[in-house]
Amino acid sequence: MSRSSASSSPFVVSASTESRGATGSNGHTAAKPSQLGVAVIGCGYWGPNLLRNFHESRDTKLVGVADLNPDRLAWARGLYPHITATSSADELISDPRVDAVAIATPVNTHYELAMRAVRAGKHVLVEKPLCHRSDLARELIEEADKRKVTLMVDHTFIYTPAVRKIKQLIKDGDLGQIYYYDSARINLGLVQSDVNVLWDLAVHDLSIIQFLFNETPQAVSATGMRHISGRPETIAYLTLHYGSGLIAHCHVNWLSPVKVRRTLIGGTRKMVVYDDVEPSEKLRIYDTGVKVGPHGDAREGHPDYRLRIDYRKGDISIPHLEGKEALKLEVEHFVESIRSGKPPLSGGQEGLQLIRTLEAASQSLFLKGQPIPL
Amino acid sequence: MSRSSASSSPFVVSASTESRGATGSNGHTAAKPSQLGVAVIGCGYWGPNLLRNFHESRDTKLVGVADLNPDRLAWARGLYPHITATSSADELISDPRVDAVAIATPVNTHYELAMRAVRAGKHVLVEKPLCHRSDLARELIEEADKRKVTLMVDHTFIYTPAVRKIKQLIKDGDLGQIYYYDSARINLGLVQSDVNVLWDLAVHDLSIIQFLFNETPQAVSATGMRHISGRPETIAYLTLHYGSGLIAHCHVNWLSPVKVRRTLIGGTRKMVVYDDVEPSEKLRIYDTGVKVGPHGDAREGHPDYRLRIDYRKGDISIPHLEGKEALKLEVEHFVESIRSGKPPLSGGQEGLQLIRTLEAASQSLFLKGQPIPL
Amino acid sequence: MSRSSASSSPFVVSASTESRGATGSNGHTAAKPSQLGVAVIGCGYWGPNLLRNFHESRDTKLVGVADLNPDRLAWARGLYPHITATSSADELISDPRVDAVAIATPVNTHYELAMRAVRAGKHVLVEKPLCHRSDLARELIEEADKRKVTLMVDHTFIYTPAVRKIKQLIKDGDLGQIYYYDSARINLGLVQSDVNVLWDLAVHDLSIIQFLFNETPQAVSATGMRHISGRPETIAYLTLHYGSGLIAHCHVNWLSPVKVRRTLIGGTRKMVVYDDVEPSEKLRIYDTGVKVGPHGDAREGHPDYRLRIDYRKGDISIPHLEGKEALKLEVEHFVESIRSGKPPLSGGQEGLQLIRTLEAASQSLFLKGQPIPL
Amino acid sequence: MSRSSASSSPFVVSASTESRGATGSNGHTAAKPSQLGVAVIGCGYWGPNLLRNFHESRDTKLVGVADLNPDRLAWARGLYPHITATSSADELISDPRVDAVAIATPVNTHYELAMRAVRAGKHVLVEKPLCHRSDLARELIEEADKRKVTLMVDHTFIYTPAVRKIKQLIKDGDLGQIYYYDSARINLGLVQSDVNVLWDLAVHDLSIIQFLFNETPQAVSATGMRHISGRPETIAYLTLHYGSGLIAHCHVNWLSPVKVRRTLIGGTRKMVVYDDVEPSEKLRIYDTGVKVGPHGDAREGHPDYRLRIDYRKGDISIPHLEGKEALKLEVEHFVESIRSGKPPLSGGQEGLQLIRTLEAASQSLFLKGQPIPL
């Protein structure tokens, strides 16, 4: 039935076909000397994606998975009969076949598990955010440096073709000087118990902003609201002030009837709209902007009395982006970083800076928008 | 060529046809005794809409228009040869045929012109916002009360069928308790010289919020940025905190490559998306929300460990709305208020409250988000 | 309230403002020697657009309007007090101030009115289609040639910036060889009594195809259905076969709940999607296609066993188009043709060819798709 | 990263997670007595979906897969190590553990493989269309009846929640009498070598129409074009005429730059738009239509001279549909049909009727639209 399929997402079938194809050609054979032994801790929502990618990568050998929930272990065994499935994280951390550990557990458990793995001399990939406190993040970084192991945070978005393309546009000066970064990341989402919506969703934007602009915010202001008793903020608005004049804003919401994943990036030359809900046309580049001119008529009542400014509306271009899965590229980068010993794009330092921003944001949130310097 | 027209907006032709039809049947005849004599001051961007509506209404008789710009007067004469077109506002204000004055000039001129008209015993309709300072707004209100004339602000949106429908949904309890009001009002807009983007665009949301919820904010927090030297803020974010637990946020931007006019209203029962860019399907009512349940499995690693909460996804309904022009309904309400002597829905007091909110917002904007109590 | 207006169509206000501006500067003064005197016959749906454009053009002087319906005349008088408004078409046709006559009456009256005007030595612009029978169209053409007057058909779409742009793309070879022209022109439309939906809607596509490809179809096949007793076909499908291998298809429907105005043009190099419902992004140019390659694996069961063909998915470009009204450009072309004596782009011959196609299509419709050679 | 995932299709992850979850609980254990042994022949594009669903169903036990391509077998082994993977279809057909055979090979091989399986006393599920000739389809039906085995065709769409919902609306009379069924099924698709685009894509609409209306077409007319030498038609238009006055039209195209899967169903009461590209809002029900009234003014020139007909524009409703995979429901129905011995919804007779329609359509295609009676 192929692309005339009832599924509106042809990528489902084809992608998995392709990937499993890769699987077929390496998956179930013994690890080649070059392969990195990997264990995944936490098999909840994100874990399965890590399992699949480490399983399919030619550079890694999936050794085991740990989870406290027997159902999840049974599920993992069903799909990966050849790997160790255990309720003990330590069993994997101490396993000599394991060179690297990927952690996909609740945020407040990241530090302890990551530290154990680092101390055991394992390379570590931690789901975002790195952990729930900046002081603990610093400890992790120091320990990793001491042990000479790679500590990387799973900032998935910076490995997407879309964000890579935006980065290139900025680098090439196509957008000119950046006016603003504005993002809405809302839908009917999983209201979490341990962290508020900023730590769950805005962290994606913070990692993208960090990657795109290499600039640390001077201050943050955040507002939001708790809508469910005993739960952290379900809706929040975050503004980041930068020295360069850039302003960034993130609107995150777990209680939206519609799913929106739209980022606007305005520059003096061009502007970009990045709509991540779009299956293929994720980026639109607008040759649009304003030009401040000397002419115009400011007499009261003149139809153009407000118009000392020219508006430029030009073509729109939608670049074709390859359909590669971000996590696949990320796993490649993780392996590369371990082999080269070079710091990864989303290393401990990057993870730390995000946590510091999130801590300041949560403080501002509590103070109803009071700006917090960084 | 009819509705298979090259125009993508069939309403253009038909609407104007219909309206001019009305014109034909009353426009150029002498005022009937029942008709209210109206003069329009300011023939820039919004003025022409006022002229057209007062010209077409059976309840009003367009007497004259004033503008400092000769081109605008020539334009007005071409379209309304029978009315007085003058560069002197006072000529109209003192004209005995004029019962009411509509003001559509730059914001910083509203107070002076409105005050002159009120003192001359004329009823006044002022383009939003009422004026640029709350103390002056108070003076206007007092003077109008003393003179027993109607003072109304042109809060156009509260007269739109879409906002009327939302009001009814809230009144009927269909949405349940309101969680949030979230609005994005962005496009490549006319950067103004006298007021920042909050005073130009957010004022619309403030008037809608005021109309829908009848609740005064306790505090506001605003952030934003100036992007053009010598101009006020071109992009801004405004959060309003309410005692009821409601949170409202407005995102306004004069430098967006795309035009967005979307408002989300989340309630415990249903949620509404109001997309004003949609030509006909402006409202979508989502039978969607969350239910906090006792069950669920919170064990770490469980796929649903975050899910003590149930998600409800139901039908979506798009109500049919009549295509009436808001300004037409507003003119009817203006006439009605004058005749009944009852305070209009968007009277001086409503206008004042908005200005007070905007003043606090501008203060917070200057203080990078510092919350300002009201 | 400006572009933050309640109206979702900012073009309404600005466009009419601009145009009336033009009005103001020429409308009500006496005709300049260079101006062409024009009368409009028929003031129903399309007539008002003709009135407005002839009124606003600097090259034409609107002299009068004729309609059998007193209400329509009253309406016209209200808007254009200075022109002759009469129930007698002949009064205008014989008026010496009238150099040209524009006809916007029901199709089955076109021939008689146009012939009278031509015989009176007037230039004529007839709403599409030229008339309801090809033999009568031939008579009109001969008479116009004899009288040396311009006979032009109101094929509005070929004067739109969008169609002009497509024409240029084809001319420049950007699309390569054309595979197909596929159009859907459907909505809840005015079911007519005198002509079926092909004559009302498909005629637009026929005029566009004629303009774009300069090729006469070899045969047509049409199917459709009558849904309302005593009315002609309300839905129809028309296929045009061409010698070059091009195939064209038009889907027209008066009973669709949604308005669709989408045309696909597929070429060997690029493909165009022309969506006329889009307010601004009417054209999308896809750098997409197929390449027939020698490689590929045709073994049964091979995942790519169907794939001896390569698929190319490249960037999409959305060209900026000026917002000019087609009818305005058309009026300019009409005047130009009269002055130069050169045949207009949409002259009698073009109108005749369309009628011949429509006659064949109606015949095929009656024969349930039987192909009719041309 | 959960639903804040880089993927725009959260369903990918969750769906497969859920389904594999099911797997985990039954997949790799021995067949329960109640389980049906199933073999899949053909592991190309559609085969993997059959494998997954038979693997995950609690009612079936996946026994083996056959494919001539070693790479595909390697891929299958990688994912389903416990099943037989062979290049010999007969090995599986003769396997006593196999109760039913699913065939997903090129159309021109369906008959031979299905016949062998039926003769071996196996129940058979064949990918659409049943086979490439109606006479052979009749043989299959007779043989299956003789052997008392279930012969079912994979008409996937009639098992989708969307089509089920439309069926119910029609049954309940919500749509009134049906005016038309109009479908566009176009995208940049796999140009096949053995069958034209009608047999590949229109077959889906034919199966939906058959399911919804239980009416056999009286005649068909089809037009189309070959664009790639040595390949069958890549674009085609098919009209079906019915006795009830219903008209159905399918537009299919393998060379479209955009993917469209939209079906309009117009009725006297309501109308439905079924957009299968929409991830969740697949159905829109319009309370829209026409009412033929006695009033109206038919005088020439009257603005409403065409309007003896009233237009009704009401609310739009978007029903919530469960996200179940159609193939899953179809597999359940296949098992059910085998157990009950009752003819399936898409049995041999249904498959035969579609082939007869496709044969007539191909004939009409060759005759450039000539209607072919059925």
Side-chain angles (χ1 to χ4, degrees):
Chain A
M1 194 166 86
S2 72
R3 64 266 162 277
S4 55
S5 154
S7 158
S8 67
S9 170
F11 305 107
V12 183
V13 173
S14 58
S16 57
T17 308
E18 175 259 303
S19 59
R20 295 209 192 97
T23 307
S25 58
N26 77 26
H28 303 277
T29 61
K32 308 188 190 91
S34 68
Q35 281 186 317
L36 196 78
V38 180
V40 173
I41 301 176
C43 192
Y45 197 106
W46 191 233
N49 297 322
L50 292 166
L51 286 171
R52 177 168 48 80
N53 276 277
F54 283 118
H55 176 61
E56 292 166 0
S57 165
R58 299 170 186 282
D59 300 319
T60 59
K61 164 80 179 157
L62 185 60
V63 173
V65 59
D67 199 297
L68 294 180
N69 178 346
D71 299 349
R72 299 307 299 154
L73 291 179
W75 168 84
R77 278 192 203 92
L79 199 57
Y80 307 102
H82 60 293
I83 70 169
T84 306
T86 170
S87 62
S88 156
D90 289 329
E91 180 185 339
L92 294 176
I93 289 172
S94 58
D95 188 322
R97 297 172 304 160
V98 173
D99 307 302
V101 173
I103 298 168
T105 57
V107 178
N108 51 27
T109 67
H110 285 183
Y111 167 75
E112 187 190 343
L113 289 164
M115 186 55 95
R116 276 194 246 156
V118 169
R119 291 206 169 118
K122 313 291 188 183
H123 305 286
V124 175
L125 175 66
V126 191
E127 189 184 356
K128 55 86 201 169
L130 173 50
C131 64
H132 60 298
R133 275 169 41 194
S134 52
D135 57 337
L136 300 177
R138 281 196 195 81
E139 287 182 25
L140 281 175
I141 294 167
E142 283 160 22
E143 193 68 27
D145 290 347
K146 215 172 66 188
R147 308 271 181 179
K148 305 231 173 321
V149 296
T150 296
L151 174 62
M152 177 162 152
V153 191
D154 185 355
H155 293 164
T156 316
F157 275 96
I158 71 173
Y159 300 95
T160 56
V163 172
R164 291 297 176 95
K165 176 71 177 178
I166 298 172
K167 173 77 173 180
Q168 182 204 313
L169 289 169
I170 293 173
K171 232 171 157 181
D172 299 350
D174 291 0
L175 306 188
Q177 191 203 326
I178 304 303
Y179 282 142
Y180 60 83
Y181 174 101
D182 178 276
S183 167
R185 198 173 291 276
I186 68 178
N187 64 310
L188 199 64
L190 301 175
V191 176
Q192 299 182 31
S193 46
D194 55 343
V195 294
N196 67 37
V197 69
L198 285 171
W199 289 70
D200 180 47
L201 296 184
V203 65
H204 290 306
D205 291 299
L206 294 179
S207 67
I208 295 170
I209 293 167
Q210 181 184 58
F211 175 69
L212 292 180
F213 306 117
N214 305 317
E215 187 179 3
T216 317
Q218 294 181 323
V220 304
S221 167
T223 55
M225 183 64 60
R226 295 164 184 263
H227 291 112
I228 297 163
S229 64
R231 295 281 176 151
E233 283 76 7
T234 41
I235 180 170
Y237 303 94
L238 171 63
T239 301
L240 301 125
H241 296 282
Y242 291 87
S244 66
L246 167 72
I247 184 170
H249 186 272
C250 312
H251 166 208
V252 286
N253 185 347
W254 276 328
L255 296 180
S256 165
V258 284
K259 176 173 184 163
V260 178
R261 293 275 181 276
R262 187 171 53 192
T263 303
L264 278 67
I265 300 175
T268 48
R269 283 208 187 136
K270 291 189 176 182
M271 303 190 177
V272 170
V273 176
Y274 165 29
D275 187 343
D276 199 44
V277 173
E278 276 287 324
S280 62
E281 303 178 9
K282 291 185 183 296
L283 286 190
R284 294 165 68 96
I285 304 166
Y286 291 76
D287 185 8
T288 291
V290 295
K291 276 177 295 178
V292 183
H295 68 290
D297 186 335
R299 279 172 301 170
E300 173 196 322
H302 188 284
D304 303 338
Y305 73 98
R306 294 157 164 167
L307 266 175
R308 270 215 193 79
I309 287 163
D310 277 348
Y311 294 88
R312 185 169 48 77
K313 283 214 161 210
D315 296 357
I316 302 167
S317 138
I318 301 174
H320 177 65
L321 302 171
E322 51 178 350
K324 274 200 183 172
E325 183 181 10
L327 191 47
K328 187 177 179 169
L329 299 167
E330 186 179 342
V331 162
E332 287 168 13
H333 182 66
F334 182 49
V335 172
E336 213 176 83
S337 305
I338 290 171
R339 289 180 176 161
S340 68
K342 291 195 193 119
L345 278 169
S346 53
Q349 290 300 341
E350 287 74 20
L352 169 61
Q353 198 214 90
L354 262 54
I355 294 172
R356 291 187 55 242
T357 306
L358 288 168
E359 285 174 334
S362 295
Q363 199 183 340
S364 179
L365 199 56
F366 181 76
L367 298 172
K368 296 200 166 342
Q370 166 94 47
I372 307 295
L374 278 160
Chain B
M1 193 166 88
S2 73
R3 63 269 165 276
S4 56
S5 156
S7 158
S8 66
S9 170
F11 305 106
V12 183
V13 173
S14 57
S16 56
T17 309
E18 174 260 305
S19 58
R20 295 211 192 97
T23 305
S25 57
N26 78 23
H28 302 275
T29 61
K32 311 192 190 83
S34 67
Q35 281 185 316
L36 195 78
V38 179
V40 174
I41 301 176
C43 192
Y45 197 106
W46 191 233
N49 297 323
L50 292 166
L51 286 170
R52 176 167 49 81
N53 275 277
F54 284 118
H55 176 61
E56 292 166 1
S57 166
R58 299 171 186 282
D59 301 318
T60 58
K61 163 78 179 160
L62 184 61
V63 174
V65 59
D67 199 297
L68 295 180
N69 177 346
D71 299 348
R72 299 308 298 154
L73 291 180
W75 169 83
R77 278 193 202 93
L79 200 56
Y80 307 103
H82 61 292
I83 70 169
T84 305
T86 169
S87 62
S88 156
D90 288 328
E91 179 186 339
L92 294 176
I93 289 173
S94 58
D95 187 322
R97 297 172 304 161
V98 173
D99 306 302
V101 173
I103 298 168
T105 56
V107 178
N108 52 26
T109 67
H110 285 184
Y111 167 75
E112 187 190 343
L113 289 164
M115 186 55 93
R116 277 194 243 157
V118 169
R119 292 207 168 118
K122 313 292 187 181
H123 305 287
V124 175
L125 175 66
V126 191
E127 188 184 355
K128 56 85 199 168
L130 173 50
C131 63
H132 61 299
R133 275 168 42 194
S134 52
D135 57 337
L136 301 178
R138 283 197 192 80
E139 286 183 25
L140 281 175
I141 294 167
E142 283 161 22
E143 194 67 27
D145 288 347
K146 215 172 66 188
R147 307 273 180 177
K148 305 231 174 320
V149 296
T150 295
L151 175 63
M152 177 162 153
V153 191
D154 185 354
H155 292 165
T156 316
F157 275 95
I158 72 174
Y159 301 96
T160 57
V163 173
R164 291 297 176 94
K165 176 70 177 178
I166 298 173
K167 173 78 173 180
Q168 181 203 314
L169 289 168
I170 294 173
K171 231 172 159 180
D172 300 349
D174 290 0
L175 306 188
Q177 190 203 324
I178 304 303
Y179 281 141
Y180 61 83
Y181 174 101
D182 178 277
S183 168
R185 198 173 292 275
I186 68 178
N187 64 310
L188 199 63
L190 301 175
V191 175
Q192 298 182 33
S193 47
D194 56 342
V195 293
N196 67 36
V197 69
L198 285 172
W199 288 71
D200 180 47
L201 297 184
V203 64
H204 291 306
D205 291 299
L206 294 180
S207 66
I208 294 169
I209 293 168
Q210 181 184 60
F211 175 68
L212 292 180
F213 307 117
N214 304 317
E215 187 178 3
T216 317
Q218 293 180 324
V220 304
S221 166
T223 54
M225 182 65 59
R226 294 164 183 262
H227 289 112
I228 297 163
S229 63
R231 294 282 177 150
E233 283 76 6
T234 41
I235 179 170
Y237 303 93
L238 171 62
T239 300
L240 301 124
H241 296 281
Y242 291 86
S244 66
L246 168 72
I247 183 169
H249 186 272
C250 311
H251 166 207
V252 286
N253 186 348
W254 275 330
L255 297 179
S256 165
V258 284
K259 177 173 184 165
V260 178
R261 294 277 182 274
R262 187 171 53 193
T263 302
L264 278 66
I265 300 175
T268 49
R269 284 210 186 134
K270 290 189 178 182
M271 302 189 178
V272 171
V273 175
Y274 165 30
D275 187 344
D276 199 43
V277 173
E278 276 288 324
S280 62
E281 303 178 10
K282 291 185 182 297
L283 286 190
R284 294 166 70 97
I285 305 166
Y286 292 76
D287 185 8
T288 291
V290 295
K291 277 177 293 178
V292 183
H295 68 290
D297 187 334
R299 279 173 301 169
E300 171 196 325
H302 189 284
D304 302 339
Y305 74 97
R306 293 156 165 171
L307 269 174
R308 271 216 194 79
I309 287 162
D310 277 347
Y311 295 87
R312 184 168 49 75
K313 282 211 161 212
D315 295 357
I316 302 166
S317 136
I318 300 175
H320 177 65
L321 302 170
E322 51 177 351
K324 274 199 182 172
E325 183 181 9
L327 190 49
K328 187 176 180 169
L329 298 167
E330 187 180 341
V331 162
E332 288 169 11
H333 183 66
F334 181 50
V335 172
E336 214 176 81
S337 305
I338 291 170
R339 289 181 175 161
S340 68
K342 289 194 194 120
L345 277 169
S346 52
Q349 289 301 340
E350 287 74 18
L352 169 61
Q353 199 215 91
L354 262 53
I355 294 172
R356 291 186 55 245
T357 307
L358 288 168
E359 284 173 334
S362 295
Q363 199 183 340
S364 179
L365 198 57
F366 181 76
L367 298 172
K368 297 199 165 344
Q370 167 95 47
I372 306 296
L374 279 160
Chain C
M1 196 166 86
S2 73
R3 64 265 166 278
S4 56
S5 154
S7 158
S8 67
S9 169
F11 305 106
V12 183
V13 173
S14 56
S16 56
T17 308
E18 175 260 304
S19 59
R20 295 210 192 97
T23 307
S25 58
N26 77 25
H28 303 277
T29 61
K32 311 191 190 87
S34 69
Q35 281 186 317
L36 195 78
V38 180
V40 173
I41 302 176
C43 192
Y45 196 105
W46 191 232
N49 297 323
L50 292 167
L51 286 171
R52 177 167 48 81
N53 275 277
F54 284 119
H55 176 61
E56 291 167 1
S57 165
R58 300 172 184 281
D59 301 319
T60 58
K61 163 83 179 155
L62 184 59
V63 173
V65 59
D67 199 297
L68 294 179
N69 177 347
D71 299 348
R72 298 308 299 155
L73 291 180
W75 169 84
R77 278 192 203 92
L79 198 56
Y80 307 101
H82 60 292
I83 70 170
T84 305
T86 170
S87 62
S88 156
D90 288 330
E91 181 185 338
L92 293 176
I93 289 172
S94 58
D95 187 322
R97 297 172 304 161
V98 173
D99 306 303
V101 173
I103 299 169
T105 57
V107 178
N108 51 26
T109 67
H110 285 184
Y111 167 75
E112 187 189 345
L113 289 163
M115 187 55 95
R116 276 194 245 156
V118 169
R119 291 203 169 122
K122 313 292 188 183
H123 305 287
V124 176
L125 175 66
V126 191
E127 189 184 355
K128 55 86 201 169
L130 172 51
C131 63
H132 60 298
R133 275 168 43 193
S134 52
D135 56 337
L136 301 178
R138 282 197 193 79
E139 287 183 24
L140 281 175
I141 293 167
E142 283 160 21
E143 194 67 27
D145 289 347
K146 216 172 65 188
R147 307 274 180 177
K148 306 230 173 322
V149 297
T150 296
L151 175 63
M152 177 162 152
V153 191
D154 185 354
H155 293 164
T156 316
F157 275 95
I158 71 173
Y159 300 95
T160 56
V163 173
R164 291 298 176 94
K165 175 72 176 178
I166 298 172
K167 173 78 173 180
Q168 182 205 312
L169 289 169
I170 293 172
K171 232 173 160 180
D172 299 350
D174 290 359
L175 306 187
Q177 191 202 326
I178 304 302
Y179 281 142
Y180 59 84
Y181 173 101
D182 178 275
S183 167
R185 198 173 292 276
I186 67 178
N187 64 309
L188 199 63
L190 300 175
V191 176
Q192 299 183 31
S193 47
D194 56 342
V195 293
N196 67 36
V197 69
L198 285 171
W199 288 70
D200 180 47
L201 296 184
V203 65
H204 290 306
D205 291 300
L206 294 179
S207 66
I208 295 170
I209 292 167
Q210 181 183 59
F211 175 69
L212 292 180
F213 306 117
N214 305 317
E215 188 179 1
T216 317
Q218 294 182 324
V220 304
S221 166
T223 54
M225 183 63 60
R226 295 165 184 261
H227 290 113
I228 297 163
S229 63
R231 294 283 177 152
E233 284 75 6
T234 42
I235 179 170
Y237 303 92
L238 171 63
T239 301
L240 301 125
H241 296 282
Y242 291 87
S244 65
L246 168 72
I247 183 169
H249 186 272
C250 312
H251 165 207
V252 287
N253 186 347
W254 276 329
L255 295 180
S256 165
V258 283
K259 176 172 185 163
V260 177
R261 294 276 182 275
R262 187 171 53 195
T263 303
L264 277 67
I265 300 175
T268 49
R269 282 208 187 136
K270 290 189 178 181
M271 302 190 177
V272 171
V273 176
Y274 165 29
D275 186 343
D276 199 43
V277 173
E278 276 288 324
S280 63
E281 303 179 8
K282 290 184 182 297
L283 286 190
R284 293 166 69 97
I285 304 165
Y286 291 76
D287 185 7
T288 291
V290 295
K291 276 177 294 177
V292 182
H295 68 289
D297 186 335
R299 280 173 300 169
E300 171 196 324
H302 189 284
D304 301 340
Y305 73 97
R306 294 156 164 170
L307 269 174
R308 272 216 194 79
I309 288 163
D310 277 348
Y311 294 87
R312 186 169 46 77
K313 283 213 161 211
D315 296 356
I316 302 166
S317 135
I318 301 174
H320 176 66
L321 302 171
E322 53 178 348
K324 274 199 182 171
E325 183 182 8
L327 191 48
K328 187 177 181 168
L329 298 167
E330 187 179 343
V331 163
E332 287 168 12
H333 182 68
F334 182 49
V335 172
E336 211 176 83
S337 306
I338 291 171
R339 288 180 176 161
S340 67
K342 290 193 192 123
L345 278 169
S346 52
Q349 289 300 341
E350 287 73 19
L352 169 61
Q353 199 214 90
L354 262 53
I355 294 172
R356 292 186 55 245
T357 307
L358 289 167
E359 285 174 334
S362 295
Q363 199 183 340
S364 179
L365 199 56
F366 181 77
L367 298 171
K368 295 200 169 339
Q370 166 93 48
I372 306 296
L374 277 160
Chain D
M1 194 165 86
S2 73
R3 63 267 167 273
S4 56
S5 154
S7 158
S8 67
S9 170
F11 306 106
V12 183
V13 173
S14 57
S16 57
T17 308
E18 173 259 303
S19 58
R20 295 209 191 100
T23 306
S25 58
N26 80 26
H28 303 275
T29 61
K32 310 193 191 85
S34 68
Q35 280 185 317
L36 195 78
V38 180
V40 173
I41 301 176
C43 192
Y45 198 106
W46 190 233
N49 297 322
L50 292 166
L51 286 171
R52 177 168 46 82
N53 276 276
F54 284 118
H55 177 60
E56 291 167 359
S57 166
R58 300 170 185 282
D59 300 320
T60 59
K61 163 79 179 158
L62 184 60
V63 174
V65 59
D67 200 297
L68 296 180
N69 178 348
D71 299 348
R72 299 308 298 154
L73 291 180
W75 169 83
R77 278 192 202 93
L79 199 56
Y80 308 101
H82 61 292
I83 71 169
T84 306
T86 170
S87 61
S88 156
D90 287 329
E91 181 185 339
L92 293 177
I93 290 173
S94 58
D95 187 322
R97 297 171 304 161
V98 172
D99 306 304
V101 173
I103 299 168
T105 56
V107 178
N108 51 26
T109 67
H110 285 184
Y111 168 75
E112 187 189 345
L113 289 164
M115 186 55 93
R116 277 194 244 158
V118 169
R119 290 202 169 122
K122 312 293 189 183
H123 305 287
V124 176
L125 175 66
V126 192
E127 188 184 354
K128 56 87 199 168
L130 173 48
C131 63
H132 61 297
R133 276 168 41 194
S134 51
D135 56 337
L136 301 178
R138 283 196 192 80
E139 286 183 26
L140 280 175
I141 293 167
E142 283 161 21
E143 194 66 27
D145 289 348
K146 215 171 68 187
R147 308 275 179 174
K148 305 231 175 318
V149 296
T150 296
L151 175 63
M152 176 163 153
V153 192
D154 185 354
H155 293 165
T156 317
F157 275 95
I158 71 174
Y159 301 95
T160 56
V163 173
R164 291 298 177 91
K165 176 70 178 179
I166 298 172
K167 174 79 173 180
Q168 181 203 313
L169 289 169
I170 293 173
K171 232 173 160 180
D172 300 350
D174 291 358
L175 306 187
Q177 190 203 326
I178 304 303
Y179 281 142
Y180 60 83
Y181 173 101
D182 178 276
S183 168
R185 198 172 293 275
I186 68 178
N187 64 309
L188 198 63
L190 300 176
V191 175
Q192 299 183 32
S193 46
D194 56 343
V195 294
N196 67 37
V197 69
L198 285 171
W199 288 69
D200 180 46
L201 297 184
V203 64
H204 291 306
D205 291 299
L206 294 179
S207 66
I208 294 170
I209 293 167
Q210 181 183 60
F211 175 68
L212 292 180
F213 307 117
N214 305 318
E215 187 178 2
T216 317
Q218 293 181 325
V220 304
S221 166
T223 55
M225 183 64 60
R226 295 165 184 262
H227 290 114
I228 297 164
S229 63
R231 295 283 176 149
E233 283 76 6
T234 42
I235 180 170
Y237 303 93
L238 171 62
T239 300
L240 300 126
H241 296 281
Y242 291 87
S244 65
L246 168 72
I247 183 169
H249 186 272
C250 311
H251 166 206
V252 287
N253 185 348
W254 275 329
L255 296 180
S256 164
V258 285
K259 177 171 185 165
V260 178
R261 294 276 181 274
R262 187 172 54 194
T263 303
L264 277 67
I265 300 176
T268 49
R269 282 208 187 136
K270 289 188 178 182
M271 302 190 178
V272 171
V273 176
Y274 165 30
D275 186 344
D276 199 43
V277 173
E278 276 287 325
S280 62
E281 303 178 10
K282 291 184 182 296
L283 287 190
R284 295 166 67 98
I285 305 166
Y286 292 76
D287 186 7
T288 291
V290 296
K291 276 177 295 178
V292 182
H295 66 289
D297 187 334
R299 281 172 300 169
E300 171 196 325
H302 189 284
D304 302 341
Y305 74 97
R306 294 155 165 172
L307 268 175
R308 269 213 195 82
I309 288 163
D310 277 348
Y311 295 87
R312 184 168 48 75
K313 282 213 162 212
D315 295 356
I316 303 167
S317 135
I318 301 175
H320 177 66
L321 302 170
E322 51 177 351
K324 274 200 182 172
E325 183 182 10
L327 191 48
K328 186 176 180 169
L329 299 166
E330 186 178 343
V331 163
E332 287 168 11
H333 181 67
F334 181 50
V335 172
E336 210 177 270
S337 305
I338 290 170
R339 289 181 175 159
S340 68
K342 290 194 194 122
L345 277 169
S346 52
Q349 289 301 340
E350 287 74 19
L352 169 61
Q353 199 215 89
L354 261 53
I355 294 172
R356 290 186 56 246
T357 306
L358 288 168
E359 285 174 336
S362 295
Q363 201 183 338
S364 179
L365 198 56
F366 181 76
L367 298 172
K368 297 200 167 338
Q370 166 95 45
I372 307 296
L374 277 161

